[in-house]
Structure formats: structure tokens, C-alpha cells
Amino acid sequence: MTLSTVGIDAISLSTPRAFLELADLAAKRGVPVEKYTSGLGAVRMAIAGPGEDPVTLATDAAARVIERAGIDPESIGMCAVGTETGIDHSKPVASYVHGLLDLPPSCRVFDTKHACFGGTAALMAACEWIASGAARGRRALVVCTDIARYALGSPGEPTQGAGAVAMIVSERPRLLEIELGRSGRYARDVHDFWRPLNRRDALVDGHFSVACYLDAFTGAFDEWRREEERRGGGDPLARVVYHVPYPKMAKKADRQRAKLEGLDDAAADARFAREVAPSLAFSAEVGNIYTGSLYMAVASLLHAEASALVGTRIGLFSYGSGCGAELFAARVAEGAGGFARELALDEPLRDRVRLGFDRYEAIRRADAEETPRAGVLDESLPCDRTAFLGIDAAERRVYRRARPASGTARIAPRASIVAAA
Ligand code: CAA
């Protein structure tokens, strides 16, 4: 059995509580701020602080989407997490999320990894699982969660960020109906960006990584166009959403698309302003969140324009260094405008604090150099979000679920999830 409409039913973000203003970074690094704001298109970047890690970000995004979209947790039969910020060589981030949210035991739980493409691998697995009928009517929770770190003072530093995007994938989705089986794909074994097992910060061959992204876009776009022609075409894409390591990269990719279509530069710029720019607002505030970057751009687009786009077809381009890429299309569902408003997609961006530069450097240095001491749990972390308290004497990671505003404790009673006293 195959179902015709499967896709993203609901979406939510979470970001760390703090951000660094890129103007502050530019002043300290002796770089004109325009290089960041205009050259890269970024304004701020989210910085993960004490108690925040890929699990806490993922859990808070997932809890938000379940609550906001009115999902019965018992209906979730797959919990898949795309991440390249691994916290354990064996235990997946997804199993912590599954435990912290108290999802049903009858659930397929796993992580996917292919740099920033990992989230798309999870999303496609979920869509195809549901479309095949194997899900037997259950939904999937797909979460993309990452902390992007490059060495202090390196060219990559202004393109850091942190955050998670959680999506409910289901039949008859309320936001985006994904066109399965029509995508264009591309893969090539390259070393454009990598993070060896002993390192916290990523290594990157920056300009080569830009070239690899554009080559991958070309390859995926070529296959996508061939498939469109084979099927006799479809509606033109009203918007294209790209993987966004920094907003200017989406502009470069869109210029590449224009070149492949034979558009001149002026027409390409006008089309970019109309069809791509609305998806970049959240990224300019948060920075690169690797696996979630494409889906944060989807959220940004829906937040800005969902009502106007109902019934139209949009393109999504996912790129993961290493490298692998996929271009696919989705149709904006009936009612998506009102539903996107109910989801309040920008809410996590409203409630953040600005970090001073010295505090930023101190957080980054501590993060790079220190591994948590076994048996020391930090119970002083605020309770309004999920928190990573430390590792216990057996080197198990210990988390505490957020306490909702109502004051009712929602702390999962599991061995690796310890309640605050
Ligand atoms: N005013 C305005 N613009 C300025 C400027 C100024 N004063 N000074 C420089 N610029 C412009 C430059 O002209 C350039 O624009 P173009 O790209 O359009 O030519 C832009 O600012 C950046 O300048 P540089 O190329 O000199 O910057 P850089 O060499 O210091 O670093 C980078 C740029 C290579 C992207 C670096 O930030 C980096 O390594 N980032 C991490 C890797 C990355 O994000 N790669 C993207 C593709 S890989 C991917 O997508 C996977 C992933 O998520 C990591």
C-alpha cells in the first residue's frame, strides 16, 4: 500500500538561551562588521551554555511540537534524530529524547548521521515508513539537533550556532505534503568538513566546502529536472528553501540554480528576494544548526508566508558535507497559514539573552577543554528548560526535564533521568 499524502504535519524550534551579537565578535576579531552582516548575511549566533547539549535542545523542541500541535504521544511509533554532535559512541540521542518525553515503548528509536544531511535521512525514512503502510497509522517524531563549533578566531567562527528543529511526520499533514520518489540526489566522497573523534570543534576546508555544496546542488538539480521531465513536469516551484550554513550560502546556491536555468544576474537577484529571502530570517538570528538548518529555514518561510503559499509547491535542498545532498519538493497544505500561526514558530527566538564577549569565550574554552567530572551533578541549573546535569559515577549522562510554568513537575522516572531534589 502507498499513501499519497505524507509529510510534515507540525514543526517547532528550540535554541539555547544565549546569543552572541556578531558585531561584538567583529569588533574583537578586528573584522569590519559588514563582512559578517553583508558578506555572510548573519547577525547573531546562538551559543549553547552550561546544561545545554544536543539532547536538551532536541527534547525541548520535541516537547514544544507535541504540545503545540496537540499530538497524542501514544500515537508516535518512530523517534528518529539527525545529529552530527554525538555525545556517546553507542547510545543514540534519540533514546534520551524517547525517555525524557516518555514516548511509548513500541517505537523505532534511532539516530542518523551524515553531517547536515542526517536530518533529511531521518525525515525521508519516516515519510517512506508511513507511505509504505508499515507505520499502521502511527506518526513519526523527527528531530534535528546540533551545536556548530569552529575554533576561536578561525574563518568558521562567525558561522557557529546551536539549536534543534522537531517535526511530526504523518499522513494528511497540516503543513507540507512531501513528494516522495521524485527527488534528485548527489553524493561524492570529499573532505570539505569533518570532525575527528577526539575533537569538539569541526575542521573545515572553507572555500572548498562552498564549492562542494554548489557541485552537489548542481548534481541534485540535474537529476531532479530529469525526473520532472520524465513525469511531464509539475507546477513551478513558488519558493526554494536551502540548507543554510550562513544566509549568503543560500544566495550562492540560488545563483547557481539561476545559472543552470539561463537567468541573467538581475533576474536572479529579483527572484532570490522574492522566493528565497523569506526563509533566511531565523538563520540570520541563530546561525548554523547543521542538520536543522534547512528545516529552520522551512519554519522561517512558513512563519512569514504560509497563508500566501497554500496550495503551492516549494523546493527543499539538503546538503551534508562529506558529501551527500537531496533536492525534493513539497506542497503547502490547505489550512497551513492558520496552523503555522498557532505553532508560534518564532517564539523561541523572542526570549533570549545577549552574551558579553568575554563570557562567550569563557563558555567556548570550557566546552573545548573540560569533560564533566563523574559523579558531580549541577543541580543549580534553571528548571524552565531540559538540563544536562552532568555524568554520574558510572559515566551515565543525567538530565532533568523542564518544569512547566504551571509548576507541575514532569520529570521522567528513569534511571538515566534524575529528578531534582
Ligand atoms: N563588507 C562586505 N562583504 C565582505 C567584506 C566587507 N568588508 N569583507 C568580505 N566580504 C565578503 C566576501 O567578499 C565574501 O563574499 P562572497 O562569498 O560573496 O565572495 C564573504 O564576505 C566572505 O568572505 P571570505 O570568503 O573572505 O571569508 P572567509 O574566507 O573568512 O570565510 C567561509 C568564509 C569559508 C564561508 C568561512 O566562514 C567558513 O569556513 N565557514 C564554515 C564552513 C561553511 O559554512 N561552509 C559552507 C558550505 S559547507 C556546508 O554547508 C555544510 C555545513 O553546514 C558546514
Side-chain angles (χ1 to χ4, degrees):
M1 175 180 66
T2 50
L3 302 166
S4 54
T5 63
V6 174
I8 301 172
D9 180 60
I11 190 165
S12 254
L13 318 177
S14 73
T15 68
R17 57 184 99 239
F19 66 86
L20 182 70
E21 202 68 55
L22 287 184
D24 295 346
L25 181 66
K28 293 289 181 179
R29 298 291 179 238
V31 169
V33 68
E34 296 77 21
K35 175 170 178 182
Y36 297 162
T37 52
S38 163
L40 299 175
V43 182
R44 304 189 169 93
M45 58 189 188
I47 303 296
E52 294 175 328
D53 79 355
V55 171
T56 68
L57 294 167
T59 304
D60 287 344
R64 178 184 288 274
V65 79
I66 288 170
E67 272 174 38
R68 288 266 170 186
I71 301 296
D72 173 6
E74 292 300 316
S75 70
I76 294 173
M78 176 185 283
C79 171
V81 173
T83 185
E84 56 184 294
T85 318
I87 43 142
D88 191 290
H89 289 306
S90 173
K91 188 171 164 62
V93 170
S95 74
Y96 289 101
V97 173
H98 178 263
L100 284 158
L101 295 176
D102 248 337
L103 296 180
S106 167
C107 195
R108 189 175 283 170
V109 179
F110 58 94
D111 283 2
T112 48
K113 184 174 79 176
H114 185 149
C116 306
F117 183 75
T120 300
L123 175 66
M124 288 300 172
C127 286
E128 289 163 7
W129 175 66
I130 293 169
S132 72
R136 301 195 295 269
R138 311 232 350 239
R139 298 177 169 96
L141 169 67
V142 171
V143 193
C144 309
T145 183
D146 275 305
I147 298 173
R149 301 183 187 95
Y150 300 96
L152 295 179
S154 71
E157 187 183 27
T159 68
Q160 298 175 115
V165 179
M167 294 173 273
I168 298 293
V169 180
S170 73
E171 293 173 43
R172 295 180 295 281
R174 286 172 281 179
L175 293 176
L176 291 179
E177 297 159 5
I178 293 180
E179 294 178 3
L180 298 176
R182 298 180 70 136
S183 60
R185 288 144 305 181
Y186 180 86
R188 197 173 133 223
D189 178 11
V190 288
H191 261 92
D192 60 332
F193 168 106
W194 62 106
R195 187 167 69 84
L197 291 175
N198 57 321
R199 285 183 183 263
R200 298 279 278 170
D201 296 346
L203 299 175
V204 62
D205 186 343
H207 291 278
F208 180 56
S209 74
V210 172
C212 289
Y213 181 124
L214 295 177
D215 284 351
F217 177 77
T218 303
F221 188 60
D222 278 353
E223 193 192 14
W224 188 77
R225 282 208 293 189
R226 279 199 304 277
E227 187 56 23
E228 286 284 287
E229 273 165 32
R230 198 183 67 76
R231 291 170 183 257
D235 304 350
L237 300 175
R239 299 286 180 270
V240 178
V241 189
Y242 294 93
H243 167 60
V244 193
Y246 52 94
K248 179 73 156 299
M249 187 67 234
K251 185 161 192 186
K252 287 176 189 286
D254 203 55
R255 183 57 79 84
Q256 178 77 351
R257 177 167 72 111
K259 214 164 84 188
L260 296 167
E261 290 175 329
L263 247 60
D264 65 35
D265 290 355
D269 283 350
R271 184 172 75 171
F272 170 82
R274 191 175 62 246
E275 298 185 4
V276 181
S279 63
L280 302 177
F282 290 2
S283 307
E285 290 286 322
V286 175
N288 195 356
I289 59 166
Y290 291 160
T291 48
S293 294
L294 166 63
Y295 301 100
M296 181 163 69
V298 167
S300 187
L301 176 70
L302 293 173
H303 178 67
E305 299 196 289
S307 299
L309 293 176
V310 165
T312 65
R313 204 173 173 225
I314 66 170
L316 290 87
F317 176 67
S318 180
Y319 175 74
S321 289
C323 73
E326 192 154 343
L327 175 65
F328 56 101
R331 198 169 290 280
V332 180
E334 202 61 47
F339 187 48
R341 269 195 303 283
E342 281 171 38
L343 292 172
L345 296 170
D346 66 336
E347 202 171 52
L349 305 183
R350 289 189 223 139
D351 179 26
R352 300 193 296 164
V353 294
R354 179 176 177 171
L355 271 185
F357 185 79
D358 292 346
R359 179 75 185 128
Y360 155 71
E361 281 209 327
I363 288 173
R364 289 286 286 101
R365 289 218 160 88
D367 194 39
E369 286 158 16
E370 286 168 19
T371 41
R373 249 181 48 227
V376 180
L377 302 184
D378 183 358
E379 303 283 3
S380 68
L381 291 163
C383 293
D384 60 328
R385 296 170 180 223
T386 303
F388 168 53
L389 304 183
I391 56 177
D392 69 10
E395 296 194 40
R396 292 175 298 205
R397 297 178 79 85
V398 180
Y399 291 91
R400 187 185 62 213
R401 254 311 292 282
R403 206 183 296 274
S406 65
T408 321
R410 281 187 308 176
I411 298 162
R414 303 270 167 79
S416 61
I417 304 159
V418 172

